[in-house]
Amino acid sequence: MNQDLTQQWLTEIQVLKEQMAGLQHDRNSAWESAQKWRQLYNTEAEQRRTDAQLSQQAIASLKADIHKLQGLEGETLAIRTPVTANQQEIEQLKSVEDLQAKLITVIKERDRLLQALKTEQDNHAQTRNSLTTALGDAIDSLTRERAAGEKDPRGQGDKEIGGQGAS
């Protein structure tokens, strides 16, 4: 009888070890999935930040061009374009009409870049929301799986014991 009790305890210990290994595997898989989602989110966020920074630089450059064409000093702007490039472009303008045409072109480009920046900001917000939702869904799924595993650990153990007894 003592040997049967010992065998029963050893079997129960083995079943618990197997359940624990399974739960650790599930936990590790969920952690890896969460890490992957974090990396994807960070990569996307970095790309959006870079795009926004480039757009800001382009806008600042266009503002500098406009101010220089209007006769304002470029030193008042935080970000300036190379002086020689601007001087060469200004020297090519021969008349007021050329200046007006250039100004219109610059204003149109500025408007286009502002629209592109807004679109990028909207896309970034949408991507952030999508990734946050996906990460939340993954965490909820993991939580449900863990809860289901904790509710019926004995039922799984009985299957394992029954399976080992049949061997």
Side-chain angles (χ1 to χ4, degrees):
M1 176 145 164
N2 195 16
Q3 187 177 6
D4 290 338
L5 185 57
T6 301
Q7 184 61 37
Q8 183 181 2
W9 278 105
L10 289 174
T11 303
E12 183 69 22
I13 289 170
Q14 183 61 34
V15 167
L16 290 173
K17 282 183 180 180
E18 289 172 5
Q19 286 178 350
M20 191 166 80
L23 291 173
Q24 286 173 340
H25 179 267
D26 291 347
R27 180 200 63 205
N28 291 342
S29 296
W31 179 255
E32 289 172 6
S33 175
Q35 285 295 97
K36 182 180 95 176
W37 280 108
R38 276 188 213 102
Q39 181 61 36
L40 288 172
Y41 179 80
N42 288 335
T43 301
E44 179 70 19
E46 183 62 32
Q47 181 181 355
R48 299 295 180 186
R49 282 191 291 272
T50 301
D51 291 346
Q53 184 180 16
L54 291 174
S55 296
Q56 288 290 343
Q57 289 173 352
I59 290 169
S61 174
L62 290 172
K63 284 181 180 179
D65 288 345
I66 291 171
H67 285 292
K68 285 185 180 184
L69 291 173
Q70 291 174 344
L72 298 175
E73 288 296 321
E75 279 88 38
T76 59
L77 297 174
I79 299 175
R80 296 181 296 167
T81 58
V83 176
T84 57
N86 287 337
Q87 286 175 344
Q88 288 174 353
E89 213 172 321
I90 291 172
E91 288 172 2
Q92 291 176 357
L93 300 174
K94 302 293 183 196
S95 67
V96 174
E97 290 80 20
D98 290 344
L99 181 62
Q100 288 174 340
K102 182 64 177 174
L103 182 60
I104 289 170
T105 303
V106 168
I107 290 172
K108 285 180 181 179
E109 180 67 10
R110 182 210 56 195
D111 291 345
R112 185 188 67 76
L113 289 171
L114 285 172
Q115 183 60 40
L117 176 62
K118 179 172 180 2
T119 301
E120 284 298 315
Q121 288 172 336
D122 292 344
N123 289 342
H124 173 70
Q126 183 180 7
T127 300
R128 184 180 60 235
N129 289 339
S130 296
L131 289 174
T132 302
T133 300
L135 184 58
D137 291 346
I139 291 171
D140 290 345
S141 176
L142 176 63
T143 303
R144 282 192 300 272
E145 286 180 23
R146 283 186 180 168
E150 291 175 3
K151 285 183 182 177
D152 193 18
R154 190 77 172 158
Q156 291 177 350
D158 290 343
K159 290 178 186 174
E160 292 294 325
I161 293 172
Q164 288 179 357
S167 300

